[in-house]
């Protein structure tokens, strides 16, 4: 994956994120073992924080699409539920506060670096 945003509500195979240099994946990690299936050389795994938590802990320079992860993820699941009628998506939305804690954000190191560099260049241009 070199760009975009995906949400995985099911299981993944091994070597997930191999070659992932851009974009974000939000993966439902129901068993807490998703990291064992990842190629960790190019990515970091992070929790999906609530918007207030993210605002307090994470520089806005690295917010995907300029939005809190919780908002991006929830909107994507809401759209999936609306367009497909997915029972799984509805279940997740009905128990959002519980399920949000089970999601993992797959954040490529290169994408993080690029976001920081873009923000720094923007600050220099404004100065």
């Amino acid at each position: 994956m070199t760009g975009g945003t995906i949400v995985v509500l099911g299981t993944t195979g091994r070597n997930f994120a191999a070659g992932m240099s851009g974009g974000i994946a939000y993966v439902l990690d129901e068993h807490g073992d998703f990291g064992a299936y990842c190629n960790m050389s190019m990515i970091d795994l992070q929790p999906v924080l609530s918007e207030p938590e993210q605002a307090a802990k994470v520089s806005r320079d690295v917010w995907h699409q300029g939005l809190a992860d919780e908002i991006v993820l929830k909107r994507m699941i809401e759209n999936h539920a609306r367009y497909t009628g997915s029972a799984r998506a509805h279940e997740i939305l009905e128990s959002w506060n519980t399920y949000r804690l089970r999601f993992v954000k797959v954040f490529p190191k290169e994408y993080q670096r690029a976001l920081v560099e873009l923000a720094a260049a923007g600050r220099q241009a404004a100065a």
Side-chain angles (χ1 to χ4, degrees):
M1 182 168 148
T2 57
T5 310
I6 65 164
V7 175
V8 179
L9 302 180
T11 58
T12 65
R14 57 189 167 88
N15 212 25
F16 188 91
M20 187 174 172
S21 60
I24 296 289
Y26 299 102
V27 179
L28 182 57
D29 183 12
E30 291 194 87
H31 304 292
D33 61 353
F34 175 67
Y37 297 96
C38 287
N39 183 323
M40 298 296 293
S41 65
M42 298 180 74
I43 56 121
D44 288 323
L45 297 180
Q46 300 176 353
V48 174
L49 303 173
S50 69
E51 186 172 13
E53 290 172 323
Q54 189 168 332
K57 296 178 180 179
V58 180
S59 167
R60 288 191 182 264
D61 294 344
V62 295
W63 285 30
H64 182 57
Q65 300 174 348
L67 298 170
D69 292 316
E70 177 182 27
I71 291 175
V72 174
L73 173 59
K74 192 172 185 183
R75 281 183 188 168
M76 290 184 75
I77 296 171
E78 288 169 340
N79 287 337
H80 178 59
R82 183 177 330 125
Y83 296 131
T84 69
S86 167
R88 182 74 166 139
H90 285 289
E91 173 189 342
I92 290 167
L93 293 168
E94 288 171 7
S95 300
W96 178 250
N97 290 330
T98 299
Y99 273 100
R100 178 187 57 85
L101 299 173
R102 296 179 185 167
F103 277 92
V104 176
K105 176 182 178 181
V106 181
F107 200 177
K109 295 173 185 177
E110 274 300 305
Y111 183 42
Q112 290 179 65
R113 185 186 58 74
L115 290 173
V116 169
E117 288 177 3
L118 283 170
R123 283 191 295 274
Q124 287 178 349

